[in-house]
Amino acid sequence: MSDIWHVGPTNNWRNLHWLPASYNGARFHVEASSRESGRRIVEHEFPKKDIPYAEDMGRHAREFTIRAYCITYQRDDDDLFTIDYTVPRDALMNALEAEGPGVLQLNTQPSQEVVVTRYRMTEEERFGGYCTFDITFLEYGLDPLLDPNSSVLTSTAVAQAAQALRDQVQRTLAPPDPSIGTGLPTSNGTTSI
Amino acid sequence: MKRADVNEAAPIIDRMLALLISFVPSKGPSGINVRTAVGDTRANARVLCTNDALGPSLDNCFVQARLAGVTWPQIEAVRLQVDGEPVTTLGGALVKNAGVRLCLATIAEIIAAATFVSRQDVDTTKATLLPPFQDAEEIAADEMDQATFQSLISLHGALTNHLVQTALPLPRMLQYQFYKVLPSLVMAYKLYDDASRCDELRAENKIVHPAFCPLQGEALSQ
């Protein structure tokens, strides 16, 4: 008899891929995690035509919806498995409310840079020592004003441009090239007129 | 240059360099290279102008001034003075424009190496530098001097890009208001959770006595 725990030839997905879930270092248990994305498609339909055209406008921003929980444990093992469940709960809430993007590590997915748009922490009287978090993360991506491909430091570019201007000033103050008007190549290699 | 041009250009150089050298200590080891370069150029201004050999030595004066730690508002003062010089001859205009452009190049180099504290700082710098560059670009355009115009435009562009990129990660300046007069130590602790930043608050708000800070002021957002 086999169940989902014992399917497969190696049965080791848990050992190979499973990582403890955390957001910016604050760990939590995951009850359910979902990831949402796709392509931003604009479907064009034309009058008197049978075939539409689906225009691809790029990838949707990834959205992660997590149901996480913190629960009391029988002994203090580490920062998540503790007797007092409010310690990891408070750490997670602080991390979720901190300014700026953070690194989200889910159990079976590679880490992502995300922001928190909303979270809901629920504690119920019937479930003492236990709280759930419903968290929505959005992909952080890139600031469009920061050019990731610029390999030249901006200050170096300024220094180079300033040097070019100085050189130009020196050229304007220098005597004209004697070859001007002769049709012969000038000292910097261009042909004068 | 002809004699009439030299008669106008040499005094312009003299006044420009006199103002430049006034920002450097008049004795001691710091600024010794500026004093040498400026003194040399001022003494030989007429000869250099006559021989059309002014460029390298004038450029060297500004390079040495920058290395000696002259600040960009000081260079801007030099630029303003040179820009206000009335000229009638071609040689005078040539030297005047060269001076203005060298000032702009030096200002850009100083700013490229500067560190900024807040976004407002950067924005003020950017706004202050806009008119000088625009004026210089217009003069170069009117002179049909394409090469100079292009180098001015690219310097202006590189500088603006640098300032925008520098401003992005910087904290903003925010207004604060407290309910009573507090020592700067307490204010810094309340604002930043870090009492050791009290001197920063004091410097930013020009507080007279750090034990009694005014109720309102400006602080960094981070």
Side-chain angles (χ1 to χ4, degrees):
Chain A
M1 186 64 191
S2 67
D3 55 26
I4 196 163
W5 304 101
H6 302 100
V7 170
T10 53
N11 234 333
N12 59 358
W13 64 270
R14 208 169 250 273
N15 300 333
L16 283 182
H17 304 301
W18 199 90
L19 287 162
S22 65
Y23 175 67
N24 258 1
R27 288 176 58 196
F28 50 84
H29 300 286
V30 179
E31 189 174 317
S33 77
S34 55
R35 169 179 172 147
E36 209 178 319
S37 185
R39 307 295 303 179
R40 277 174 290 142
I41 300 293
V42 179
E43 182 88 355
H44 300 279
E45 287 183 311
F46 309 100
K48 309 287 180 193
K49 280 202 170 182
D50 284 347
I51 300 171
Y53 169 57
E55 189 182 358
D56 192 335
M57 308 293 272
R59 180 169 65 72
H60 261 301
R62 290 175 190 140
E63 189 177 327
F64 299 87
T65 316
I66 313 291
R67 165 157 282 212
Y69 64 91
C70 297
I71 192 165
T72 185
Y73 194 60
Q74 55 196 349
R75 57 180 185 275
D76 279 328
D77 270 6
D78 53 25
D79 49 358
L80 180 60
F81 292 91
T82 54
I83 296 170
D84 185 3
Y85 82 104
T86 60
V87 176
R89 180 198 67 179
D90 293 346
L92 180 56
M93 284 196 293
N94 285 336
L96 292 173
E97 287 172 10
E99 191 184 333
V103 178
L104 172 68
Q105 175 65 60
L106 292 174
N107 295 140
T108 56
Q109 295 182 40
S111 58
Q112 300 270 340
E113 201 170 27
V114 293
V115 287
V116 184
T117 54
R118 196 89 182 144
Y119 80 88
R120 184 193 303 124
M121 197 277 288
T122 318
E123 287 175 314
E124 287 185 45
E125 195 192 350
R126 286 190 298 164
F127 304 111
Y130 171 76
C131 66
T132 57
F133 284 85
D134 292 289
I135 319 166
T136 309
F137 296 101
L138 270 180
E139 184 179 0
Y140 178 64
L142 280 175
D143 188 333
L145 292 175
L146 281 176
D147 184 3
N149 298 322
S150 76
S151 53
V152 184
L153 279 171
T154 49
S155 55
T156 319
V158 173
Q160 283 169 353
Q163 188 56 51
L165 179 60
R166 291 176 181 272
D167 293 347
Q168 178 55 30
V169 169
Q170 294 205 26
R171 273 196 291 276
T172 54
L173 288 173
D177 198 302
S179 65
I180 289 177
T182 59
L184 296 169
T186 57
S187 51
N188 58 8
T190 55
T191 307
S192 60
I193 304 162
Chain B
M1 270 188 212
K2 302 258 166 52
R3 183 182 291 265
D5 297 287
V6 175
N7 284 342
E8 189 174 56
I12 293 177
I13 298 167
D14 196 59
R15 286 192 289 273
M16 169 166 68
L17 294 181
L19 184 58
L20 185 66
I21 198 72
S22 71
F23 299 125
V24 182
S26 56
K27 39 183 155 169
S30 72
I32 190 162
N33 290 332
V34 198
R35 291 197 295 275
T36 311
V38 169
D40 200 31
T41 315
R42 280 175 80 184
N44 297 314
R46 291 190 71 86
V47 181
L48 289 169
C49 284
T50 316
N51 297 338
D52 290 332
L54 182 65
S57 31
L58 192 59
D59 185 40
N60 189 35
C61 292
F62 280 93
V63 171
Q64 296 304 337
R66 174 171 60 84
L67 295 178
V70 173
T71 62
W72 75 263
Q74 292 171 335
I75 302 277
E76 172 64 9
V78 176
R79 188 200 67 84
L80 274 174
Q81 183 196 297
V82 179
D83 208 23
E85 297 272 5
V87 286
T88 47
T89 59
L90 274 176
L94 188 69
V95 167
K96 173 183 164 180
N97 290 337
V100 168
R101 286 159 196 167
L102 284 176
C103 285
L104 288 177
T106 313
I107 288 173
E109 281 172 341
I110 294 172
I111 287 176
T115 39
F116 292 93
V117 187
S118 73
R119 276 188 217 182
Q120 270 86 343
D121 250 11
V122 181
D123 289 345
T124 322
T125 309
K126 207 162 56 185
T128 320
L129 287 179
L130 185 62
F133 268 99
Q134 275 182 339
D135 292 350
E137 283 154 15
E138 195 162 320
I139 289 169
D142 285 348
E143 283 181 343
M144 305 281 184
D145 188 351
Q146 290 176 17
T148 306
F149 180 72
Q150 276 181 4
S151 46
L152 271 169
I153 289 280
S154 57
L155 176 61
H156 194 188
L159 190 61
T160 310
N161 185 33
H162 172 67
L163 287 174
V164 169
Q165 297 285 352
T166 313
L168 278 178
L170 287 179
R172 280 165 295 155
M173 294 300 291
L174 299 177
Q175 305 279 339
Y176 66 76
Q177 181 169 18
F178 281 99
Y179 56 97
K180 64 175 182 182
V181 174
L182 292 169
S184 63
L185 208 64
V186 179
M187 273 195 179
Y189 183 70
K190 281 178 185 288
L191 289 168
Y192 302 125
D193 278 353
D194 181 4
S196 66
R197 290 173 74 179
C198 60
D199 287 337
E200 186 185 304
L201 268 186
R202 186 183 177 187
E204 184 63 48
N205 293 299
K206 301 183 177 59
I207 291 166
V208 179
H209 196 297
F212 309 98
C213 297
L215 296 180
Q216 292 174 331
E218 285 194 331
L220 293 173
S221 63
Q222 284 169 27

